[in-house]
Amino acid sequence: MLLSKPTETHTWDVVIVGGGPAGIAAGLQLARAGRRTTLVERAMVGGQARRLDHIENLPGWPKGVSGRGVMRLWERQARRWGLGTVTGDAVSVRKSEGAFKVRLADGRCLSAGAVVLAPGACFKTLGVPGERRLFGKGVTHGAFDDAPRWSHRVVAVVGGGETAVHQAIHLARWARRVELIARGPLRAHDLLLRRLRDCANVSVQSGRVVRILGKNKVCAVVVRQDGQDRRLGVSAVFVLIGAQASAWVRRSVRPGVFVAGDARGAIERQVAVAAGDGMAAAVRAMRWLQEQR
C-alpha cells in the first residue's frame, strides 16, 4: 500500500521501519499472527542483505545463497501473509493521542499501536579532510554489487573487522590491487583470514588514514604509519570502520517502540541474527498490544 497524499494518516496495529532481514522477519511474524502491519522502506525491500552476492552462513542453504535470492523469498513469504509496504524515509516517531505517529520525510504520517524500528545502522565515518567532500566520488561505505565498477583499478578498504576483510576479498576479484588499511590487528574469523591470504592482489597496511585526496574524484589517501605520512594512489576508498544506530532511532526508544537488527548496535551483523532479532521484536510488540487492551 502506498500513501499518496503528504498529509494522509493511516492506522495500523504495527508499523515497521526498515526492510532488511530484521524488518522483513518482524513483518512476517506479525502479519502471520493477524496483525495489520506495514513496513516502511526508503529503497528496496531486502536492505543491504539484498546486495550480498553470496551468503554462506545462513541455515538451510548448504552451498550458500545470494542475498538477492533469499530476500526475494522472505519478501514473498511475508506478503503472502498480508504484510503491506510503504516507500518512504521515516524521520521520527512520537506518541500522540494514545498512538504512535511515524512521520515520513515527505510529510506523510502512519499511526500505529506499536512500532518496530529496524532501519539498520549508519556507517561510521573517519572524520578526516576530504572524506565528506568526496563522498559518492570514490568515497563509499562499500556496496558489494558496486565492486565491478573498480575493475583493474587500485582501491583502499579502511577497517579491520569482518566487514572490511570480506569487502577486500570481494573487491580483489575485480580490482588490480586492494590496499586494506587497519589501525590494529585484523579482527575477522579464521576462514576469512585464510581467504584473504590467498588474495595475491590484497596488501594489508598498518596505520590510519588521515586525509583523502582528490579534486572531483578520489586520487589518493594519506596513511600515517609510525608517525610518518605515506601517500597511496587509489581510485576509491571503502570506509568500513563500524556502524551505529542513527540519533533519531536512539531518541525514539520508549515503551511500545522496539528496536531490532543492526540498529540495536550489536556487533553480530549477520542476516540470521538480524532475522531472529526481528522475530523477537515482533513477539514483544504483540505482547505490548495485548497488554494495552
Side-chain angles (χ1 to χ4, degrees):
M1 176 181 180
L2 177 63
L3 302 184
S4 57
K5 299 178 182 179
T7 59
E8 187 174 353
T9 301
H10 198 91
T11 301
W12 302 86
D13 289 334
V14 184
V15 168
I16 300 168
V17 176
I24 296 175
L28 166 63
Q29 179 81 352
L30 288 159
R32 182 174 175 272
R35 294 294 184 176
R36 297 182 67 256
T37 306
T38 196
L39 182 151
V40 179
E41 169 58 41
R42 73 178 68 179
M44 187 177 296
V45 174
Q48 290 295 323
R50 200 179 182 107
R51 309 181 82 170
L52 300 176
D53 67 328
H54 196 65
I55 304 173
E56 294 181 323
N57 60 353
L58 191 63
W61 279 272
K63 295 182 180 180
V65 62
S66 74
R68 182 183 300 272
V70 74
M71 289 298 101
R72 281 176 175 171
L73 290 173
W74 288 17
E75 181 183 1
R76 186 186 308 167
Q77 186 177 7
R79 289 187 184 279
R80 176 195 169 212
W81 291 106
L83 176 67
T85 57
V86 172
T87 300
D89 189 5
V91 294
S92 68
V93 177
R94 62 183 179 85
K95 195 165 187 180
S96 175
E97 299 177 351
F100 291 102
K101 310 294 183 181
V102 180
R103 181 72 58 180
L104 307 189
D106 62 7
R108 287 175 294 168
C109 182
L110 301 175
S111 180
V115 176
V116 174
L117 295 177
C122 300
F123 288 101
K124 293 180 180 179
T125 61
L126 294 167
V128 301
E131 180 182 26
R132 179 179 295 181
R133 179 173 55 82
L134 293 169
F135 188 80
K137 302 174 182 177
V139 176
T140 181
H141 292 299
F144 282 86
D145 56 358
D146 194 40
R149 174 185 175 190
W150 307 107
S151 180
H152 307 299
R153 300 164 88 173
V154 180
V155 300
V157 176
V158 184
E162 289 191 3
T163 302
V165 173
H166 193 184
Q167 180 74 71
I169 294 169
H170 184 71
L171 283 164
R173 295 164 56 185
W174 285 275
R176 177 161 59 90
R177 189 173 75 253
V178 179
E179 303 283 1
L180 177 57
I181 305 166
R183 297 184 65 170
L186 300 179
R187 303 180 305 280
H189 59 71
D190 288 345
L191 175 61
L192 279 180
L193 292 177
R194 287 200 302 271
R195 289 178 175 173
L196 182 69
R197 287 192 291 268
D198 290 338
C199 295
N201 59 337
V202 176
S203 174
V204 180
Q205 306 283 339
S206 177
R208 63 187 181 93
V209 173
V210 295
R211 183 179 294 271
I212 300 174
L213 304 176
K215 186 175 181 180
N216 297 315
K217 60 182 180 179
V218 170
C219 68
V221 293
V222 178
V223 182
R224 185 159 295 165
Q225 300 171 314
D226 299 323
Q228 300 294 317
D229 288 351
R230 178 188 177 197
R231 174 176 168 148
L232 297 175
V234 298
S235 298
V237 182
F238 293 77
V239 180
L240 295 166
I241 58 173
Q244 60 188 0
S246 62
W248 80 265
V249 170
R250 296 194 296 269
R251 292 194 301 266
S252 299
V253 177
R254 67 197 72 181
V257 178
F258 307 91
V259 183
D262 293 350
R264 288 197 305 110
I267 61 173
E268 306 90 353
R269 300 182 63 204
Q270 305 288 335
V271 171
V273 174
D277 207 35
M279 289 279 191
V283 171
R284 292 194 294 270
M286 286 189 287
R287 186 178 300 126
W288 163 267
L289 292 172
Q290 291 169 350
E291 292 172 352
Q292 302 312 300
R293 291 179 176 174

